[in-house]
Amino acid sequence: METALKVKTMADFMAAGTQPEILFWVGSAGSFDDRAKKISKAFVKILNKAEVDFAVLGTEESSTGDVAKRAGNEFLFQMQAMMNIELLNGYEVKRIVTCDPHSYNTLKNEYPSLGGNYEVVHHTEFIKELLDKGRLQLEGSALAGKRITFHDPCYLGRANSVYDAPREVLSKAKAKLVEMKRHKQTALCCGAGGAQMFKEPEKGDMDVNVLRTQDALATNPEIIATGCPYCNTMMTDGIKAHEKEASVSVWDVAELIAQAAAL
């Protein structure tokens, strides 16, 4: 039987008069999408294993407003942002970690001008920190020698120049990293950004996610690794479109590290 995941809320910490080391911002996908929930759980397992004192907002967490802003509804974005900022400031939150690059980008770059100033860290950066400090050990050999190609999420890579953390983390798990022709600064979008996730694609020769999966398959990978729940969905759909489900799997970096740490 799975060990119960230990997850405390900011309200729990406040009631005890203490502060967590980090706030884990789960995000809309990580909270509601069945596939993305598995990423959230894998990350919580890592946090528990490394004995990180963390909290979530629980039912108090709302959307960052990223989708509203990208879809052009600035008014709704500001309403959502102001509610979140009031809550975060009320709890005196200093450091936020999230598995969602869209939340990461919004909290880090768009909240400061509205009064929300926090240190925002992507989960791949935080996992690297835990490994570097010796707080997390990778005893398992689940990834040793596995051919993995990492797809750079737009809002993590090109928007915020975080390229190395996910790759270093996978390398520490002894995976064999293979790069797509378009990677890092030249990476192609998965097709979900800018609120495109929630609408049908425009007419064209090929869906963006199918084209991006083609890039990945050219590296002959066993695993396509992602660092974003939306990329995960798009690449998984791309694998289905190419009928490669039997030979290629799509995992978030957190899930792969949880496997490598035998969690």
Side-chain angles (χ1 to χ4, degrees), residues 48-67:
N48 284 168
K49 176 75 173 172
E51 297 181 347
V52 176
D53 212 13
F54 76 98
V56 297
L57 286 169
T59 53
E60 292 187 286
E61 185 182 300
S62 177
S63 167
T64 57
D66 164 74
V67 174

Side-chain angles (χ1 to χ4, degrees), residues 96-146:
I96 302 174
V97 180
T98 181
C99 301
D100 174 15
H102 297 255
S103 296
Y104 170 87
N105 181 67
T106 306
L107 292 164
K108 182 178 176 174
N109 299 322
E110 288 163 352
Y111 275 28
S113 63
L114 298 168
N117 294 286
Y118 320 104
E119 183 194 350
V120 188
V121 182
H122 188 247
H123 72 305
T124 59
E125 296 177 292
F126 194 69
I127 292 169
K128 180 182 179 301
E129 196 179 298
L130 294 176
L131 290 167
D132 288 348
K133 289 180 176 171
R135 295 176 69 182
L136 181 70
Q137 267 78 39
L138 302 181
E139 295 111 7
S141 56
L143 301 187
K146 286 263 166 74

Side-chain angles (χ1 to χ4, degrees), residues 51-251:
E51 297 181 347
V52 176
D53 212 13
F54 76 98
V56 297
L57 286 169
T59 53
E60 292 187 286
E61 185 182 300
S62 177
S63 167
T64 57
D66 164 74
V67 174
K69 189 176 180 76
R70 306 304 152 218
N73 194 336
E74 183 65 25
F75 177 68
L76 177 58
F77 162 70
Q78 293 212 8
M79 270 177 31
Q80 289 178 304
M82 294 307 290
M83 271 172 32
N84 289 327
I85 289 166
E86 202 171 307
L87 184 70
L88 293 168
N89 289 354
Y91 279 131
E92 296 179 5
V93 170
K94 304 281 185 289
R95 196 166 198 229
I96 302 174
V97 180
T98 181
C99 301
D100 174 15
H102 297 255
S103 296
Y104 170 87
N105 181 67
T106 306
L107 292 164
K108 182 178 176 174
N109 299 322
E110 288 163 352
Y111 275 28
S113 63
L114 298 168
N117 294 286
Y118 320 104
E119 183 194 350
V120 188
V121 182
H122 188 247
H123 72 305
T124 59
E125 296 177 292
F126 194 69
I127 292 169
K128 180 182 179 301
E129 196 179 298
L130 294 176
L131 290 167
D132 288 348
K133 289 180 176 171
R135 295 176 69 182
L136 181 70
Q137 267 78 39
L138 302 181
E139 295 111 7
S141 56
L143 301 187
K146 286 263 166 74
R147 279 180 73 86
I148 299 182
T149 190
F150 178 71
H151 161 72
D152 289 282
C154 294
Y155 279 110
L156 184 66
R158 285 176 301 164
N160 287 289
S161 301
V162 177
Y163 298 115
D164 299 333
R167 290 174 168 84
E168 286 176 30
V169 162
L170 292 169
S171 295
K172 283 178 196 280
K174 300 184 175 60
K176 180 174 169 44
L177 273 177
V178 285
E179 294 288 7
M180 296 182 225
K181 195 171 175 189
R182 291 186 269 206
H183 68 285
K184 293 190 175 177
Q185 290 89 341
T186 61
L188 183 70
C189 175
C190 72
Q196 298 291 316
M197 180 82 183
F198 306 102
K199 59 183 273 299
E200 290 304 312
E202 285 87 3
K203 286 188 171 63
D205 298 331
M206 190 187 288
D207 286 359
V208 176
N209 66 313
V210 176
L211 179 60
R212 184 54 174 160
T213 307
Q214 197 169 287
D215 284 358
L217 292 173
T219 68
N220 193 25
E222 292 170 74
I223 294 167
I224 298 171
T226 68
C228 168
Y230 301 104
C231 294
N232 193 300
T233 298
M234 300 306 267
M235 300 305 275
T236 302
D237 286 352
I239 290 293
K240 287 173 186 165
H242 287 284
E243 298 181 347
K244 292 286 185 190
E245 297 121 297
S247 56
V248 183
S249 49
V250 181
W251 298 96

